[in-house]
Amino acid sequence: MKFENNIEFAMQLDSNDPLHSYRMKFHIPRTPAGKDVIYFAGNSLGLQPKSVRACVEQELLDWETMGVEGHMHAKHPWLPYHEFLTSQTAELVGAKPEEVVNMNSLSVNLHLMMVSFYRPTKARNKILIEANAFPSDHYAVQSQIKFHGYDPAESLLEMKPREGEVTIRTEDILDRIEKEGDSIALIMFAGVNYYTGQAFEFEKITDAGHKKGCMVGFDLAHASGNLKLELNKWECDFAVWCSYKYLNGGPGAIAGAFVHKKHLLDMTIPKFWGWWGQDKATRFLMDHDFRPIPTVESWQLSNPPILQLAALRASLDIFHEAGMSALRAKSELLTGFAEYLINENNNGNIEIITPAEINERGCQLSIRAKQSGKALHSKLNEAGIICDWREPDVIRIAPVPLYNTFADVWNFVKLLYS
Ligand SMILES: *Cc1c(COP(=O)(O)O)cnc(C)c1O
């Protein structure tokens, strides 16, 4: 689309937007003066769907009036409650229903997946990760390496951008895998890097890893609810994500996990066991023989937090109704418009470090403010724009297709250069 640099054009995009009414389904925070903020922090904490309250209150009511009977007799019984989210979660990440489950939190799930899919041997004990991966992911892989008796200084391979570049070239990743793959046990990448906003090429990385006999897993914290994912088709071995960013599941929301179908019946894969992974038909015999559920649910340890599942369920309904294809189509336009306006009005202080190639990014743009970035961020904040600051000089903005408008984008860029 050919964009134009004026507010009328932004408003026209809004009135042509088939998803425009979805904004009404969310609570938009206000400034002290009572104006809607421009909320560009959906990559940190997504906004609250208005439907969440009724969903959570239903469970509070059933607990209030039924106590333990709610496990069987709540309007939405708690015993199978997580199953009510399965098909929509599968749809969201492009998986089969038996491949996805909502459980625990992200870093916990990452560890549980590494218990199963990082099985180092003397000849093959390395993990390949992005050098600027999110700290928790770095801590998780380091500690897994140490847990198995290896030394992160030798067993942790970090993928860095080329000298003078900010994002990592796919060809360099594939080349590294080709050269060092024989010693790599696990390739663990983000779906979208939290800092640069770079989306990685899942299928190419997965194929290259598999050719060399490596396991390949993805952290989708910044990808789920943002990109159109095809985890089953891409044959990733596992993936994990949190649900409080683009998925609008609420602070500390219950997280998700994917294990590819090909691994589900493999009894040789080590796994930590808990009673919620036990065969459902005979779980309450309370015997001590573990018969795993033949789906990814066998990775569940505990009975899950129903209030959190209820909140996430309300949000997944919205994703299901809107559809990831339509959301992604709007997202490309919305972020494309932001990129156009930033470049069109550029005063030399701003550089977008997120890839310009649409397939290499989600909705986030990371903007490097060359001078007085922090002051610029404060100014934006005071003007009612919620976006975040990452040291040393990056402002991250995430125009989210569910609740952001083209006018939001216009107003933001106007302030950015005011
Ligand atoms: C947000 C984020 C996390 C946060 O981990 P929690 O376990 O949810 O606290 C971890 N990794 C990545 C890549 C993230 O973006």
Side-chain angles (χ1 to χ4, degrees), residues 85-151:
L85 290 79
T86 302
S87 70
Q88 296 190 354
T89 305
E91 178 182 282
L92 186 83
V93 296
K96 308 260 183 235
E98 62 268 33
E99 294 174 322
V100 293
V101 65
N102 292 288
M103 60 181 189
N104 313 312
S105 50
L106 169 57
S107 301
V108 172
N109 287 345
L110 184 53
H111 275 295
L112 291 179
M113 289 297 125
M114 284 198 279
V115 164
S116 296
F117 298 106
Y118 175 55
R119 306 201 298 275
T121 62
K122 225 169 160 51
R124 187 191 281 277
N125 56 54
K126 295 182 179 167
I127 298 181
L128 178 67
I129 190 174
E130 320 128 78
N132 68 339
F134 195 88
S136 196
D137 301 44
H138 251 284
Y139 306 148
V141 295
Q142 285 175 41
S143 61
Q144 285 280 337
I145 288 169
K146 285 164 74 86
F147 176 75
H148 285 282
Y150 295 94
D151 178 2

Side-chain angles (χ1 to χ4, degrees), residues 48 57 72 75 85 122 151 158 194 281 393 395:
Q48 183 185 138
E57 279 183 350
M72 307 296 284
K75 182 168 178 206
L85 290 79
K122 225 169 160 51
D151 178 2
E158 298 186 34
Y194 80 102
D393 57 4
I395 295 170

Side-chain angles (χ1 to χ4, degrees), residues 112 115-116 264 266 269-273 290 292-293 295 298-299:
L112 291 179
V115 164
S116 296
L264 294 178
D266 183 349
I269 294 177
K271 184 187 290 182
F272 284 171
W273 294 347
F290 187 69
I293 302 170
T295 74
S298 63
W299 270 268

Side-chain angles (χ1 to χ4, degrees), residues 215-287:
M215 288 288 176
V216 185
F218 289 94
D219 182 332
L220 305 177
H222 284 261
S224 59
N226 180 15
L227 299 179
K228 181 117 178 62
L229 300 166
E230 296 283 357
L231 298 181
N232 172 271
K233 194 177 119 211
W234 295 334
E235 301 203 23
C236 318
D237 295 290
F238 71 86
V240 290
W241 58 92
C242 55
S243 308
Y244 49 82
K245 293 173 181 167
Y246 296 105
L247 291 182
N248 309 320
I254 191 161
F258 161 93
V259 173
H260 196 274
K261 205 169 178 227
K262 66 188 167 196
H263 297 303
L264 294 178
L265 299 177
D266 183 349
M267 295 300 155
T268 67
I269 294 177
K271 184 187 290 182
F272 284 171
W273 294 347
W275 74 317
W276 231 248
Q278 168 74 312
D279 169 53
K280 293 174 200 175
T282 53
R283 179 188 289 150
F284 286 94
L285 295 179
M286 304 301 240
D287 66 22

